[in-house]
Amino acid sequence: MEKKNRSGAVIFSPYVKGEAVKKVVSMKREDVLFDLRESKLKGRGGAGFPTATKWTLVAAAASTEKYIVCNADEGEPGTFKDRVLLLEYPELVFDGMVIAGYVIGAKLGIVYLRGEYEYMLKSLEDYLETMRKENLLGKDIAGKTGFDFDIIIRLGSGAYVCGEETALIESLEGNRGEARNRPPYPVNTGFMGKPTTVNNVETFAAVSHIVIKGGAWYCNHGTDKSTGSKLFSVSGDCEKPGVYELPWGTKISELLELVGAKNTKAVQVGGASGFCIPKTQFDRALGYEDAATGGSIMIFNESRNMLHVLKNFMEFFVEESCGQCTPCRIGNTKLLEGVEMIEKSEFTFGYINKLKELGKTMQVASKCGLGQSSPNSFISILENFKEEIFNSGGSHGK
Amino acid sequence: MENKENRRAPVSQKPLVIEKPKDPSYIGGTISIEINEKKVTVPLGTTILEACKMNGISVPTLCHHEDLCVAGVCRVCVVEVEGMRTLQASCAYPITAPIKIKTSTPTVRKARRNIIDLMLSEHYGECYSCFRNGKCELQNLAKEYGVDNYNFGHVEAPRYEVDESSYSVIRDMSKCVLCKRCVRTCIDLQEVGVLEAVERGHNTRISTFLDKPLLDVICINCGQCINRCPTGALRANDPSDEIWAAIDDPKKHVVIQTAPSPRAAICEEFGMEAGHSLTKELNTALHRIGFDKVFDTNTTADLTIFEEGTELVLRLYKALVQKEPVALPQFTSCSPGWVKFLEHYYPEYIDNLSTAKSPQQMFGALIKTFYAEKAGIKPEDIVSVAVMPCSAKKFECNRPEMNDSGYKDVDYGLTTRELARMIKEAGINLPEMPKGDFDSPFGEASGAGLIFGATGGVMEAAIRSIYEFVTGNKTEDAFANANILPLRGFDGIKYVELPLGEKFGPVPDVIKHLVPNWDWLKGVTLKVAIAHGTANAKKIMDDIKAGGKFSECHFIEFMACPGGCLGGGGQPIPTTPEIRMKRAQAIYAEDESLEMRKSHDNPNVVRLYEEFLTDGPCGHISHKLLHTHYIKRGRYIA
């Protein structure tokens, strides 16, 4: 696995394989959690749940059997930063998992690897084997008597919904990938009914750095509410697409300049389930307090038809809804039909407004994050680009 | 109530692991919450839905069913919980913190309407042509929540072909709203598991293994899925048109036998509360509809006790005296759903099944032989109908083995629901009918035959007779009023030991030629067990396989359906634990009101052995007509 010449203040800063593991085994579990809490690290998959809180809950759970799960399903359209981490920085991810095992008291970590990433399975397995040889996995890790932990890798089968943590757990257990009812949450009823923490690849990578350099150091980056840095997967109409590490709080306009985007009309922040931001709002900052994202940044320039963009997203959701709950299964179909009606100029504004209301119902009444976020694009694109969509040539609308 | 402890919930719908304290009065056992700004206290772990119900607040539901584990998929029951960004499914939310709930806010009402609208947009079919018209939960929701327009359109053509392959269950998936009650019934309640969701997104549908027609998968035909389907997506295979045609054909002599459970439940189809038997009113109605004869299936239930009881005695004699290898425990065979379950899942145990036919099929064989001869009617002119609480009876009467009279022994199995429709179609209001009697020669039957309808009933009927046969004493001497209470109730599995004692009477004449005396039963304790619902049956079977305590039983009653026949797949919809309890009460009350409480007291049966089955129970004639064999089907199908 060859590292490209990447630079960044946190994730891509220098790190030696195993150093955080060797350090953590001499620390008290509470102290590690204290550092984490001080860092204010939030889950990097997109939902932004405080990592320290999640780990504390699992650490405090009474069960003797607990699990660490690394969510490497990376299915959100437009994100590919986990791929880079796994291919180029596996030490950060796996060390982070070992740290989690130490803090929480788990014996096993499972990487749920996106089915399409099967090509990297062999090299990851080989890497885990070198960790075992170096006593970074296995029994009495890093010389710490009684600290046993191992990591296995399981492949997904291509369902987007399996990136949702409870559907991921279902899939891991060998079942149809469908989100569970919450509560109870995975922190007390997770994999095989046992307390489980499910974290994103990038979250584990951040933890490895925090253990070495401390929570306060981490807070030096980013903003008050969005500490640290973030990996952004930048794609679309720009000269230099790719993975960038930037501090939280970076403005969209700054990012656009950095990647060489010209004539930009819209930026989709957070993938298909995110929001579409128009030119007038490019001074917004990336971060939990403003434009939150799991890392996907899609850039659209003036040549793009936003209705086509939206149609593409809605087709994705119609196919990828797991189909168990009514709002998501049928709702997305209705939203897509609405887009097609607009396309054919066979709609009424009354009906489109009804669909927007439906979208709001989907956001609050769907069973899991998929259905709750799938109407975001529909609502934001129709709202932010209504001039383009409804007034083009005066041919639309009745 | 029924035992839920052994439920294997589908993993995607795991029941919540929070245990409710048995005694909520201990500190921390209850929690104070607010519902619609009113303070209430509920046991910890109560769902929001239950908490609302306890406080008289109605919350609409669709995928929720009292018998089933939580799904939380239809989302109709969403409510607001203060501090949460999204609405919560009240059926799936266990209360463990002092939350504040609002059940009727603008967001909630809009969400419910939108969700119901969405379901209607995909639900094919017009209400007036649907058998669930007026009894459809989706229709009721639409009415209750003010959905008066197809806001998101309505499907114009069916999406899926109707699967009419099964003798018992017809699946019309274009009407399915994907509540997954059938899936949960099949996997969780019955542990059969032939139904599951396939595909995803908009293409999600409920299907079978490899999309095979229902006839070709290991469906046991219990029809419990029909009872829990909220819409018309599942229904029984209805033969009423053929039956009308037979009634209208002057050349046909149409007879009908009525099982005990339909009589105890059909009142529900006529707007009455559950728990009223309409046995005699039904007799009149059936005559008025045009059935030539109305017979009582309890007669052959009594006959079953003779045949199956004798078979048990013979098996025990072989095991205890002749020391020959013989399959024990003996399993009852009157539930065709259970029989098919065993044939698929435990084919190595088919020798344990009693060879005695079910009462329905015994009756069928007798009607086209004994009765045809006595009445001077050609068997080919007789159309034999059985009204049953059961959808599997439709399959049973079509089994190729069931032609021992030389004709199809029972032509049509009719469910309680279908019969109620026929009665309504004939313009009859059943509850207002004058009382009428059954027709001879199968008129009067015993209360023992009647209680076959409830779980434990077959066993109780058998014990009432076996006890008297063996000890020579009255059952009443051992059990007050001949009510054998340990065998009753809705526990999933019951196990009872009955010491036979040391004093025995003479062997009754009817089986004297088979066993010389009862001395060999001295000191024997009769061990019996009862299971209802195939999930419970499975538990017993696995215990037997492992050599556990049930392997030492002598006789085990199995019923495929929860509650026994009274909870059968042909019974009125809806079904709940409470409704089943009331039906059971109706059955036991009718039993207690009868003079004749024991099968061996039934003069019609005694006369049958004198006049027709002249070589006695388990003799040659009875073997030809009243006994059958089974098929080792296995779990793997071509």
Side-chain angles (χ1 to χ4, degrees), chain A residues 273-288:
Chain A
S273 65
F275 292 86
C276 196
I277 294 180
K279 201 189 282 179
T280 50
Q281 298 174 21
F282 283 175
D283 58 342
R284 286 175 65 180
L286 296 162
Y288 296 109

Side-chain angles (χ1 to χ4, degrees), chain A residues 199-228:
Chain A
N199 293 100
N200 179 259
V201 171
E202 190 184 339
T203 310
F204 286 118
V207 167
S208 294
H209 282 295
I210 291 168
V211 164
I212 293 295
K213 294 166 195 148
W217 165 83
Y218 191 79
C219 287
N220 289 336
H221 305 88
T223 69
D224 208 25
K225 281 187 179 158
S226 309
T227 56

